[in-house]
Amino acid sequence: MAPPVSRDTLNPKVLQCEYAVRGEIVTIAQRLQDELKAKPGSQPFDEILYCNIGNPQSLSQQPITFFREVLALCDHPAILDKSETQGLFSADAIQRAWQILDQIPGRATGAYSHSQGIKGLRDAIAAGIEARDGFPANPNDIFLTDGASPAVHMMMQLLISSEKDGILCPIPQYPLYSASIALHGGSLVPYYLDEATGWGLEISELKKQLEDAKSKGITVRALVVINPGNPTGQVLAEDNQRAIVEFCKQEGLVLLADEVYQENVYVPQKKFHSFKKISRSMGYGEEDICLVSFQSVSKGYYGECGKRGGYMEVTGFSPEVREQIYKVASVNLCSNISGQILASLVMSPPKVGDESYESYSAEKNRILSSLARRAKTLEDAFNSLEGVTCNKAEGAMYLFPRIRLPQKAIKAAEAAKKAPDAFYCQRLLNATGVVVVPGSGFGQVPGTWHFRCTILPQEDKIPAIVSRLTEFHKSFMAEFHD
Amino acid sequence: MAPPVSRDTLNPKVLQCEYAVRGEIVTIAQRLQDELKAKPGSQPFDEILYCNIGNPQSLSQQPITFFREVLALCDHPAILDKSETQGLFSADAIQRAWQILDQIPGRATGAYSHSQGIKGLRDAIAAGIEARDGFPANPNDIFLTDGASPAVHMMMQLLISSEKDGILCPIPQYPLYSASIALHGGSLVPYYLDEATGWGLEISELKKQLEDAKSKGITVRALVVINPGNPTGQVLAEDNQRAIVEFCKQEGLVLLADEVYQENVYVPQKKFHSFKKISRSMGYGEEDICLVSFQSVSKGYYGECGKRGGYMEVTGFSPEVREQIYKVASVNLCSNISGQILASLVMSPPKVGDESYESYSAEKNRILSSLARRAKTLEDAFNSLEGVTCNKAEGAMYLFPRIRLPQKAIKAAEAAKKAPDAFYCQRLLNATGVVVVPGSGFGQVPGTWHFRCTILPQEDKIPAIVSRLTEFHKSFMAEFHD
């Protein structure tokens, strides 16, 4: 008898979906790590360096103390009025924990909340958005989620009925988008970012791809913009953002704004502006544009990936569509309460005058300035390699260098049945223990090759990484020289 | 210009999906609660009692101290070696926190974990399953998830390609199943539980419905069994479970075993047996049956709904199918780490001799014995009402009484464009503030009417609830007497 499930009977959308940042290269890395553990010295390196994923705390970034104090107190409120607690926790963390508990019906941190998240926490988030943007935010527009990924899935589920529904996505893109569109059976309509102008987003390209999709019978429902960019690291200029908003308004597209790197901007000449702020500053309100902004506790200076907190701010949709979003959120009951609390904390951190402010702000600045230095060092290192060019990481947590591979390397990759960039990345891993993700997992102009490397390894390790990368690259190029 | 999204352009699967336990009745209750807050005394009751959802801590159930101690320490490990900590936390909680931290690479509780969850925690869970069942469990079969709901969605996503794929579901059922099947575009193939035999599950009924589905061109892929039952509260007998396993094996169906109420059994003559244990005790191994067991931290005596922790144990699938499950899990990166830790704790609680054992076990027994008393009191109360019969709550957290409504009431409901049970439940809410969910949200034999009521209100409130329910029911029956 045939087994109940096989590849042939599985949902073909699942088979089609790919998620490169946890793809084959990571499986190989995990195997190497096991080998290294079982047999120290068996590899030409001492440890695996996971530069495949924006996971700061896995590379020793420490959490912000104030945030963790509040989380611990909310997890175990019984200690809040014990005298020892005052010796262990800062006064404002204790105060904030009380304040949060008072916003939770019955102070029950172990209860399902409202499907959109605890109202008091949404109030704090809305206030944080207002302070950031200078425009009003409505707590009823906030949907708290287990990180940004489930929020993206939720929107794709709403917007996609069949392969006739298209979503405009940047190429290169973060593979969550391609995976989610594949899982929901829609069509990814690509628009190419221009590497030559620092991964510029051209409205003419959006128009061209939109028309092209239309001519194939695809109705484009939404435009995904990732700002700051992932994997590309660029920060959009304000006038570019305005043009994007105008485009969405004119074409009747939902703007899905992935703004999870809003705190990660490393260059003084660029500043993060939310698409909500841009829209409102253009005079566009609820009636004019459908906008979803995604935020996460996993990125920024906080990097709390494991807490799975985040939210989406949903504006411009009709009440009947909102009701459907609410229903889909309800089927999963609610996002985890610690993640909800953390999302409120990152949007309302300690303020000048609070006991924790100085230590909080020192921790934050230390992390962000170190990230900026690491980005620059790695960028310079990549640019010094033969045949490699790398745009500036203005923001986010990644560099996406382009590698020009010798024909012999491309032939060798073909013989090994691998994409040339995957071939390069696997050689790099085997030689150095550094895990980066081939550009083919993000999409790239056909015939060009890239990889994505996070800027997250600890600063004192960067020199060694740079010399390992450089040495590997030289020997790779020498081996395959034309 | 048409708005980018309207009901007409939304995914019709989303429109079709319904989730009664957070449906219309809850929206009405929230409005009444707001009115009550704005205008105390405006309603014939002082508070809304949410008996619509299994959310124990929202009704004042306290979390298990040991679990929360460990969570707090893992959230803020910096205090672990401070002297004040020993005055605030039990010694075994401190020890357990260290042990858990040592299982997390870099002790990073803020990092994304392995897509299936932290290996050391999966080891603990597998050991807990082994201790429960007396059969081996493999940590690589465990997928940690944000509660059981995302795990169910994941399996539905894998198994359902189109409306030609059917899932056998009990009627009445927990509406997560109907919602998830609708969202993924499959067909719910109902099998009716027999109310007359205490919600018995008859194999002949499974066969009949399976054949019926086949004759409609539907390929049934899986059988959902909820044990202990939701909303029905029955605990399956061992020989019944064996027959179910045999049926799945013979018909080539995946057995999806919702076992989230495994700790909630209230009658001495019944005992929970996992389907894995039953299968293995029949001599069926990996090759013989595809089985997924769902567990959650939200239920049991722990009731930690807001923590969103849970796991599924996946056995009997081929490596290539397993790979696809892993990929889908990876797209969401990982479940939240606090939920992961808690899932490991509920499967490996304090043991005899541990410092916390006595207090832990007193807390656990107090909750479970109180739940048993509450179930019995409410069951007796329902059975004493005119025209109402209610099966025993042998397990889970619900009663599902049947109400025989007078014709006049059914007519009145028709006039109000409501299902008769929804009409009754709304009247009940308006008169008493008690929120229960109409049976139509779970499915029921056509022409019969029920509602689901949790057994979770605090014990000292039960007498008042019983008298309010009784008074309401009498006056309702008097009003609509034939």
Side-chain angles (χ1 to χ4, degrees), chain A residues 153-162 164-165 167 184 219-222 254 256 290 292 312 314 316-329, chain B residues 2-17 182-183:
Chain A
H153 286 306
M154 218 186 284
M155 290 312 302
M156 294 301 174
Q157 186 157 46
L158 280 149
L159 294 170
I160 297 172
S161 307
S162 76
K164 293 283 166 207
D165 292 314
I167 308 289
H184 293 102
T219 307
V220 176
R221 302 251 167 238
V254 176
L256 300 174
C290 287
V292 184
M312 56 177 183
V314 174
F317 293 87
S318 68
E320 56 182 6
V321 172
R322 282 284 292 268
E323 202 180 286
Q324 298 298 321
I325 304 177
Y326 176 82
K327 186 176 69 181
V328 172
Chain B
V5 208
S6 67
R7 264 188 80 94
D8 299 337
T9 54
L10 274 189
N11 181 356
K13 292 174 197 157
V14 168
L15 295 177
Q16 216 165 30
C17 136
L183 284 174

Side-chain angles (χ1 to χ4, degrees), chain B residues 119-134:
Chain B
K119 173 63 168 54
L121 302 178
R122 287 186 278 129
D123 290 340
I125 290 169
I129 295 171
E130 282 188 18
R132 182 193 69 194
D133 292 347

Side-chain angles (χ1 to χ4, degrees), chain B residues 74-206:
Chain B
C74 290
D75 266 346
H76 192 38
I79 63 171
L80 265 169
D81 45 19
K82 299 266 174 73
S83 61
E84 293 98 326
T85 302
Q86 283 160 41
L88 286 175
F89 294 84
S90 61
D92 54 340
I94 295 174
Q95 198 191 351
R96 183 71 75 98
W98 278 122
Q99 193 185 320
I100 288 170
L101 289 168
D102 285 340
Q103 286 161 348
I104 304 178
R107 293 186 179 159
T109 55
Y112 293 129
S113 71
H114 185 281
S115 304
Q116 289 183 236
I118 292 161
K119 173 63 168 54
L121 302 178
R122 287 186 278 129
D123 290 340
I125 290 169
I129 295 171
E130 282 188 18
R132 182 193 69 194
D133 292 347
F135 289 97
N138 183 344
N140 294 328
D141 293 342
I142 309 291
F143 287 73
L144 284 152
T145 51
D146 292 311
S149 302
V152 169
H153 286 306
M154 217 186 283
M155 290 312 303
M156 294 300 175
Q157 187 158 47
L158 280 150
L159 294 171
I160 296 173
S161 308
S162 77
E163 71 285 355
K164 293 284 167 207
D165 292 314
I167 309 289
L168 267 164
C169 276
I171 296 294
Q173 52 102 30
Y174 174 48
L176 165 66
Y177 293 97
S178 50
S180 187
I181 293 167
L183 284 174
H184 293 102
S187 294
L188 188 153
V189 179
Y191 64 91
Y192 286 87
L193 301 173
D194 183 14
E195 187 164 13
T197 58
W199 301 113
L201 196 169
E202 298 291 333
I203 302 297
S204 57
E205 167 73 2
L206 292 178

Side-chain angles (χ1 to χ4, degrees), chain A residues 122-134 137 311 344 346-349:
Chain A
R122 287 187 278 129
D123 290 341
I125 290 170
I129 295 172
E130 282 187 20
R132 181 194 69 193
D133 292 348
Y311 70 80
S344 84
V346 307
M347 297 306 286
S348 60

Side-chain angles (χ1 to χ4, degrees), chain B residues 383-452:
Chain B
N383 277 318
S384 75
L385 301 179
E386 181 196 348
V388 177
T389 50
C390 183
N391 277 328
K392 200 181 273 302
E394 299 176 331
M397 294 181 170
Y398 315 100
L399 290 161
F400 197 63
R402 176 172 176 184
I403 36 173
R404 285 162 193 80
L405 295 169
Q407 276 306 317
K408 266 193 196 163
I410 292 171
K411 289 259 160 62
E414 266 167 28
K417 294 192 171 124
K418 292 203 171 295
D421 52 0
F423 179 76
Y424 178 90
C425 293
Q426 194 169 322
R427 284 292 200 100
L428 174 68
L429 169 60
N430 288 333
T432 66
V434 177
V435 192
V436 298
V437 185
S440 36
F442 303 88
Q444 52 201 346
V445 171
T448 68
W449 309 109
H450 301 76
F451 60 85
R452 188 186 80 164

Side-chain angles (χ1 to χ4, degrees), chain A residues 11-24:
Chain A
N11 181 355
K13 292 173 196 158
V14 168
L15 294 178
Q16 215 163 32
C17 137
E18 274 183 41
Y19 189 62
V21 303
R22 289 215 163 170
E24 193 196 359

Side-chain angles (χ1 to χ4, degrees), chain A residues 51 195 231 374-393 397-404 424-425 428 432 434-437 450-457 462 465-473 477:
Chain A
C51 300
E195 185 163 13
R374 286 180 258 173
K376 186 75 182 81
T377 307
L378 284 168
E379 174 201 321
D380 290 346
F382 287 133
N383 277 317
S384 75
L385 302 178
E386 181 196 346
V388 176
T389 51
C390 182
N391 279 327
K392 199 181 275 299
M397 294 182 170
Y398 315 100
L399 290 162
F400 198 64
R402 176 172 177 185
I403 36 174
R404 285 162 194 81
Y424 179 90
C425 293
L428 174 67
T432 66
V434 177
V435 192
V436 299
V437 185
H450 301 77
F451 59 86
R452 187 184 82 163
C453 179
T454 70
I455 58 169
L456 297 174
I462 300 268
I465 294 173
V466 167
S467 68
R468 273 147 78 183
L469 282 173
T470 308
E471 202 187 322
F472 160 76
H473 187 78
M477 295 302 268

